Amino acid sequence: PTVAPLQLLTASMSNPYSGTTFQPSMCIDGVTDNQDGLNICLSALDQQDPWLAVTLPPRSLVSEVVVYGRWDCCNDLLTGFEVWLGDEVGQPSVAGGWRLCGRHTQELADGASVTAVSCGVRRGTVAALVLPGSDRTIMIAEVAVRGYPDYRPSLPPSPLLPSPSPPSQSPPLPSAPPPTPLPPPPSP
């Protein structure tokens, strides 16, 4: 299959900056060169472990997640970001069934950074960017997810083995007559 951008269905964030501006949906609108600095998504400022999640078509196989920083500034805020894959929107965690694709720990250029994080080829329906730690703020221009649909048929769930049935009851056998007592032994 050809690796290509996957359709991103929705975007949500742990704690958006406001109810009307810099919404998570602005990170999946296809605009990567926000030269005016206004077409960004932004979390509330100074958060603990903020995340941005994008939903993918069902049965997507993800090869990489690409994060486009702001064109004009502020990409130092992204240092140490993580990319996770899962199946439910929410705080990514191993306990929640999420899988960590990778961490980007290198310094980013102050403006116009484009960073790809490989996921190998993993199945998921939600990709998330997380900034671990306290006093963190997500401020990016765009997220793109590259991969392809999984056309392999789904395996049916393993059938449960039927419970063993109780042993069959045979009709009772006819009663045998009581044993005849043995005669006493002869006297010497």
Side-chain angles (χ1 to χ4, degrees):
T2 302
V3 173
L6 292 167
Q7 177 187 9
L8 303 180
L9 304 175
T10 62
S12 55
M13 191 176 276
S14 53
N15 194 4
Y17 176 73
S18 90
T20 57
T21 58
F22 307 126
Q23 291 297 295
S25 60
M26 295 179 86
C27 284
I28 61 169
D29 62 4
V31 179
T32 60
D33 67 346
N34 64 330
Q35 292 185 15
D36 61 5
L38 299 177
N39 191 34
I40 61 169
C41 65
L42 176 62
S43 71
L45 306 178
D46 303 324
Q47 297 295 298
Q48 176 74 35
D49 303 320
W51 52 265
L52 169 71
V54 294
T55 55
L56 311 168
R59 302 178 49 75
S60 292
L61 291 171
V62 176
S63 61
E64 70 180 2
V65 175
V66 182
V67 178
Y68 294 84
R70 282 184 60 157
W71 185 263
D72 55 342
C73 75
C74 312
N75 292 319
D76 58 323
L77 296 173
L78 296 174
T79 299
F81 76 84
E82 298 175 343
V83 171
W84 293 74
L85 282 180
D87 291 312
E88 298 286 331
V89 172
Q91 178 71 45
S93 70
V94 172
W98 288 76
R99 292 152 323 276
L100 178 65
C101 288
R103 286 184 187 89
H104 190 276
T105 56
Q106 298 169 348
E107 287 276 326
L108 297 171
D110 189 44
S113 70
V114 178
T115 308
V117 175
S118 174
C119 291
V121 176
R122 293 187 180 164
R123 181 178 283 146
T125 55
V126 180
L129 175 136
V130 178
L131 294 179
S134 59
D135 300 322
R136 303 299 305 266
T137 303
I138 294 174
M139 185 186 313
I140 63 172
E142 193 74 13
V143 172
V145 180
R146 295 176 52 82
Y148 49 92
D150 186 359
Y151 293 113
R152 295 176 296 179
S154 294
L155 295 175
S158 299
L160 296 175
L161 296 175
S163 323
S165 46
S168 60
Q169 299 291 328
S170 301
L173 295 173
S175 297
T180 310
L182 293 174
S187 310

